[in-house]
Amino acid sequence: MHSLCCQFQIDRLVMITEAQVNEICLALAAQIPKVTFESGEDDGRYVNLFVDSVDAVAIWNSIETTLLSDRMIGPEVRTASIVTITGPNGWDDYFLLHHFDPTEPLDTIENSG
């Protein structure tokens, strides 16, 4: 089982509000199995969207398509989010799949089930 986390950093958003991010998370929870989300404060407001799946590539592709590549919200989401997914040893060796800072080196994942 893999756990993907998409963290929306609310203070980095310009047009989308935290309430709208929560609505997006609710809509995704209705479409994708095993979605949860939480809000909090840690040097700024955030919303963490969690997705559990046995297929890391499929869930990453789904999040990439529905959030990061969306024509309406994608550009802003990309500038305000970080996406990570657990590796073979859980969060101890997670993969960084997307970062709002384009200079951050990103990992790739292969479909290992």
Side-chain angles (χ1 to χ4, degrees):
M1 180 71 68
H2 298 277
S3 294
L4 179 141
C5 178
C6 179
Q7 182 179 78
F8 300 90
Q9 297 187 357
I10 303 304
D11 295 341
R12 296 186 63 81
L13 294 169
V14 177
M15 302 295 288
I16 300 172
T17 66
E18 183 173 352
Q20 289 170 310
V21 169
N22 286 321
E23 289 174 17
I24 291 166
C25 291
L26 283 171
L28 286 172
Q31 298 171 2
I32 302 172
K34 299 184 181 178
V35 170
T36 58
F37 63 98
E38 65 184 17
S39 300
E41 171 81 35
D42 184 13
D43 292 328
R45 297 285 308 152
Y46 68 85
V47 174
N48 286 336
L49 172 75
F50 297 101
V51 185
D52 294 329
S53 176
V54 295
D55 190 337
V57 171
I59 202 58
W60 167 231
N61 288 341
S62 179
I63 292 300
E64 189 173 34
T65 300
T66 57
L67 289 177
L68 302 176
S69 298
D70 183 86
R71 294 178 85 187
M72 297 296 290
I73 64 169
E76 186 163 3
V77 169
R78 285 191 304 273
T79 64
S81 64
I82 298 170
V83 181
T84 56
I85 194 165
T86 54
N89 297 309
W91 289 113
D92 290 338
D93 59 351
Y94 69 90
F95 297 104
L96 179 63
L97 302 177
H98 171 77
H99 197 286
F100 59 80
D101 179 352
T103 65
E104 282 291 322
L106 301 177
D107 299 306
T108 58
I109 55 175
E110 296 178 16
N111 197 357
S112 59

